[in-house]
Amino acid sequence: MHRVTLRYWAGARAAAGVETEQVEASSLADALAAAKAARADDPGFARVVDVCSLLSSGRAVHRSRLDAPLEADTEVELLPPFAGG
């Protein structure tokens, strides 16, 4: 297990109610599941997380790679879709 810092941006931050949080996880999928479980009474949060783009240590992570094991403590940024551009 590794410490994962989740950093929320824009609408994801509003949905989470915090800018950052830390969870213990062995993969990004586990980290996102932990964040969702902490807000199990808020299905809106899960919907936002499910559409976010993810950056892990500054690199884009494709959702097909969420089960890849983490190698070290990491920071993951959750960026919801933005309008405009």
Side-chain angles (χ1 to χ4, degrees):
M1 296 289 259
H2 299 283
R3 182 181 60 219
V4 179
T5 300
L6 301 173
R7 179 173 303 280
Y8 300 103
W9 293 95
R13 181 180 296 164
V18 295
E19 182 177 332
T20 64
E21 69 179 314
Q22 293 185 341
V23 297
E24 293 290 324
S26 57
S27 69
L28 292 181
D30 291 343
L32 297 177
K36 289 178 188 179
R39 296 169 183 85
D41 60 336
D42 182 5
F45 174 76
R47 284 192 298 273
V48 170
V49 168
D50 289 343
V51 297
C52 282
S53 296
L54 305 170
L55 298 176
S56 178
S57 300
R59 294 180 180 227
V61 177
H62 192 273
R63 289 206 169 254
S64 66
R65 303 279 304 148
L66 294 183
D67 288 327
L70 295 173
E71 295 181 14
D73 294 347
T74 190
E75 180 174 284
V76 176
E77 298 182 64
L78 289 88
L79 296 100
F82 293 91

